[in-house]
Amino acid sequence: MSPYELFIGLRYTRAKRRNHFISFISLISLLGITLGMTALITVMSVMNGFQKEVRTRILGVASHIQVSGIDGKLTNWRQVAEEALRHPEVEGAAPYVSAQGMVSFDQVVSGVAVRGILPLMENNVADLADMMVDGKLDNLVPGQFGIIIGLELSRILGVFTGDKIVLISPQGQVTPAGILPRLKQFTITGIFQAGHSEYDSGLVLIHMADAQTLYRMEDDQVSGVRLKLRDLFQAPQVARELAPTISTDVHISDWSRQHANYFRAIQIEKRMLSLILALIIAVAAFNIVSTLVMAVTDKQSDIAILRTLGASPRSIMKIFIVQGTLIGIVGTTLGVIGGMLLAYNVEAVIALIERLFSVRFLSPEVYYISEIPSDPQMSDIVAVAAVSFVLTLLATLYPSYRASRVNPAEALRYE
């Protein structure tokens, strides 16, 4: 692009127009791109924040990788844990016993997932110790049949720390009266809150030795070993690398497959919202088309003069591409700045709106996530800026082509 093409294009953008309506449309186009960019960056950051928050709460209770026996039982769990810990990405391992059951208290019954743990080793793979709202994990002592339940489950049953509940095992025992379920009374020694309904209302923790006794497992038998990684996003790759290094036949699964539905739903919502909000930028780009078409009509005599002075059709086209692209660049830059400012301060903005209008967007009585999280990612910002710039560049092509086709003799006939 020659200096004179750039100079004339910038001059047309700065010059006072005879037709003020064109300037108004240009301003609307610029504001449309700015608002669209701001909204899109903010929404994508909030969706990233929700995804990160849900992932953190799930993986605070679940594990990054789970190594379980083929038939649901693993006898040499210590050897499996040692072999897994040899991998440089694995930083923690802990055995577990997993089973199903029902808890009963005062004629109220609820189905639960029972997890037998070793309290001292559980901190290596989960954050349950930080989620305790009453009691602590160390209160689980083998042989005393203590149990830790979720906060929502305690509300359903109407129980508190120190109360006794009955845990019903589906593994029945044969008696002269028939097959009866196994019952055992447990004392509530703690209550946790993970912030996720699946765990707060359907998970109970007992000592691994008590779980082995209740579910008739040998002392060295467990359901599997749970692993914690240094980088949770490496879980699929590490799971594949662990498979040939473990000498026992095991089944290995990672968190991305165990909870795929949650993260897939959030990702789909993020994509759909991004697509809808991208239409705002597309509308602003169409406004650039109308702006340049009117500018070409307004500048036909100027175009004719430039053509008679020797300007080629390609040069005329570049002049108006500069004019439209400048609107896109300014709008995109302002949109990126506004989007980043809003994304990094969305919690403060929401809090201000809630105070001014006396509303609560995410009530803690209804939602497990009561604050609006935000996690701006540079990859999303760069992608949005690139899409915005490409749309505005494409919007300049047709009006610029029309300008290059102006016939100087026809344009100057009535001048």
Side-chain angles (χ1 to χ4, degrees), residues 115 225 287 320 330 398:
R115 181 186 297 174
V225 177
N287 285 338
F320 286 93
V330 174
Y398 172 71

Side-chain angles (χ1 to χ4, degrees), residues 55-68 90 92-96 98 115 117 121-122 124-128 131 199 203 224-229 231-233 235-236 239 251-260 263:
R55 183 174 62 239
T56 300
R57 296 192 180 196
I58 288 177
L59 297 183
V61 180
S63 56
H64 294 172
I65 292 180
Q66 188 168 286
V67 182
S68 57
V90 180
Y96 72 96
S98 180
R115 181 186 297 174
I117 63 172
M121 297 187 67
E122 189 65 16
N124 298 332
V125 297
D127 301 326
L128 283 169
M131 299 178 181
Y199 299 123
L203 176 66
V225 177
R226 303 164 68 225
L227 306 177
K228 183 177 181 180
L229 308 182
D231 183 2
L232 62 92
F233 295 106
H251 174 70
I252 302 177
S253 61
D254 61 90
W255 66 269
S256 64
R257 288 190 291 175
Q258 295 169 358
H259 306 280
F263 303 113

Side-chain angles (χ1 to χ4, degrees), residues 103 145 177:
V103 289
F145 294 96

Side-chain angles (χ1 to χ4, degrees), residues 37 332 336 379-393:
M37 288 280 296
T332 300
V336 169
S379 58
D380 290 337
I381 296 173
V382 172
V384 171
V387 169
S388 174
F389 179 75
V390 170
L391 286 176
T392 54
L393 184 61

Side-chain angles (χ1 to χ4, degrees), residues 16-82:
K16 295 182 179 179
R17 303 180 187 276
R18 291 171 293 178
N19 190 342
H20 295 286
F21 184 69
I22 300 177
S23 300
F24 176 74
I25 296 297
S26 300
L27 180 61
I28 292 298
S29 302
L30 190 146
L31 291 178
I33 294 173
T34 301
L35 292 176
M37 288 280 296
T38 301
L40 189 51
I41 291 174
T42 303
V43 168
M44 293 180 72
S45 300
V46 170
M47 294 300 295
N48 290 336
F50 274 109
Q51 185 177 17
K52 181 179 180 180
E53 187 71 19
V54 171
R55 183 174 62 239
T56 300
R57 296 192 180 196
I58 288 177
L59 297 183
V61 180
S63 56
H64 294 172
I65 292 180
Q66 188 168 286
V67 182
S68 57
I70 297 297
D71 58 351
K73 293 182 180 180
L74 190 66
T75 54
N76 56 339
W77 68 266
R78 290 181 177 83
Q79 178 183 346
V80 171
E82 290 176 0

Side-chain angles (χ1 to χ4, degrees), residues 292-333:
L292 292 183
V293 167
M294 288 186 289
V296 168
T297 304
D298 188 52
K299 298 293 185 180
Q300 282 198 359
S301 59
D302 294 359
I303 296 170
I305 293 172
L306 289 172
R307 288 294 307 277
T308 56
L309 291 174
S312 65
R314 185 181 296 271
S315 296
I316 299 299
M317 191 172 180
K318 290 178 180 179
I319 289 172
F320 286 93
I321 288 178
V322 168
Q323 186 178 358
T325 303
L326 184 62
I327 297 175
I329 291 175
V330 174
T332 300
T333 303

